[in-house]
Amino acid sequence: MTGTMGVSDSMAASDPILEVRNLQKYFQVTNGVLKAVDDVSLSIRRGETFGLVGESGCGKSTLGRTILRLYGATKGQVLFKGENVHQLKGDKLKKFNRAMQMVFQDPYASLNPRMTVGDIIAEGIDIHGLYSGAERRERVSELLHTVGLLEEHASRFPHEFSGGQRQRIGIARALAIEPEFIIADEPVSALDVSVQAQVINLFKRLQQEKWLTYLFIAHDLAMVKYISDRIGVMYLGALVEVARSNELYRQPLHPYTEALLSAIPIPDPEVERQRERIILEGDVPSPINPPSGCRFYARCPKAMPECQTETPALIQVEEEHEVACHLYKY
Ligand code: SF4
């Protein structure tokens, strides 16, 4: 099942809310330059969910944080509704800070243990001076209700809640200032499997109710498929494949995507028995001074000599399906 608001919606299809253009985020480290995000371009339409997947350390969280301005960009641009977010100032910056919110991976660490849940949720309301007094209380109650919690939870502290409930609090905090775009950075990875589906369903329901746009970062491909309209696969700082969710699972083109998908178990035991798993050899190379040519070269079962020297660009091979691999150059 994929997200319900995205590519099928003709309005969404014609209206990118976010464009990332040739974005680089490098960090100077003692033994070189860590190229966490290297020349990434993508565009996200209003109302869709764009899933971003890859192994840990592939740069997906850094990309999310650079989009949100938590990090400055080394090069390239992030355009939100046509404006370069890294150049925003004054009122425009304030508006952006309201329009784009983040839900973090770790619901335990992201909530201040000394604040009541009500004050945590209302933090953004206070910063932006949106409501006070009874209106503020009403808004907090409404938000608690929206995410499936109770009004009386407002006076309690984070340690009194389960992991799933804390993530609901994190979502309520993000929703408090009525954002248009939410970056969810591995929002369910720290939760029990039984709770993950509930939180994902909450994300989906809120998207329908509030026409939100999501950048949903995860390493779990199965979960991303369930929520995403389109998916981007990252490897060592670069996007290697972007496609509609169903298409990516039906016909993965990049050898890395194929390997990731082959690792997902299929619930049908008959099909599962006959499947061939692609085991990737070798470790992920370091993003510090990464190799030239295709970064997947050392682990790719289909590598060709030219792959070692020529860096493949992300090219469109079918409608809504892009891949960065020399196998699809012609
Ligand atoms: Fe493999 Fe070459 Fe394609 Fe890289 S460009 S994924 S090494 S076939």
Side-chain angles (χ1 to χ4, degrees), residues 184-259:
D185 188 2
E186 305 236 19
V188 296
S189 329
L191 305 178
D192 287 346
V193 175
S194 57
V195 183
Q196 287 184 346
Q198 292 170 19
V199 175
I200 292 287
N201 285 335
L202 173 62
F203 271 104
K204 288 181 72 136
R205 176 169 65 75
L206 292 171
Q207 181 171 51
Q208 284 164 0
E209 286 173 10
K210 299 176 187 299
W211 206 34
L212 292 164
T213 307
Y214 293 146
L215 172 61
F216 198 93
I217 300 171
H219 63 266
D220 181 342
L221 266 161
M223 196 56 86
V224 166
K225 183 188 180 200
Y226 180 63
I227 194 166
S228 305
D229 296 299
R230 288 186 303 138
I231 293 176
V233 180
M234 267 187 100
Y235 185 77
L236 212 61
L239 265 182
V240 296
E241 186 160 4
V242 180
R244 291 186 196 191
S245 178
N246 283 342
E247 174 71 5
L248 191 87
Y249 285 79
R250 196 182 60 78
Q251 197 192 2
L253 296 180
H254 197 282
Y256 177 60
T257 316
E258 282 183 298

Side-chain angles (χ1 to χ4, degrees), residues 28-69:
Q28 199 69 46
V29 289
T30 39
N31 50 345
V33 178
L34 191 156
K35 299 185 175 180
V37 174
D38 203 8
D39 201 18
V40 167
S41 296
L42 59 87
S43 130
I44 301 181
R45 301 164 187 130
R46 187 183 282 278
E48 83 168 332
T49 298
F50 189 95
L52 191 62
V53 292
E55 291 160 291
S56 88
C58 72
K60 52 194 193 305
S61 289
T62 305
L63 176 58
R65 281 156 197 257
T66 312
I67 289 172
L68 195 66
R69 282 177 53 112

Side-chain angles (χ1 to χ4, degrees), residues 58-119:
C58 72
K60 52 194 193 305
S61 289
T62 305
L63 176 58
R65 281 156 197 257
T66 312
I67 289 172
L68 195 66
R69 282 177 53 112
L70 295 179
Y71 296 141
T74 304
K75 225 177 180 183
Q77 293 181 325
V78 176
L79 305 178
F80 183 69
K81 298 203 277 189
E83 304 254 21
N84 185 342
V85 306
H86 290 103
Q87 288 177 354
L88 295 176
K89 289 190 179 79
D91 271 359
K92 284 187 172 176
L93 177 57
K94 253 187 162 173
K95 273 193 185 152
F96 172 76
N97 287 337
R98 228 187 121 173
M100 197 181 280
Q101 288 293 302
M102 192 151 186
V103 174
F104 294 91
Q105 174 180 5
D106 188 349
Y108 299 89
S110 66
L111 306 177
N112 186 335
R114 285 184 297 274
M115 284 169 76
T116 63
V117 165
D119 284 342

Side-chain angles (χ1 to χ4, degrees), residues 254-255 294 296-297 300 302-303 307 312 325-327:
H254 197 282
C294 175
F296 191 53
Y297 176 79
C300 181
K302 298 181 178 170
C307 306
C325 173
H326 292 312
L327 291 169

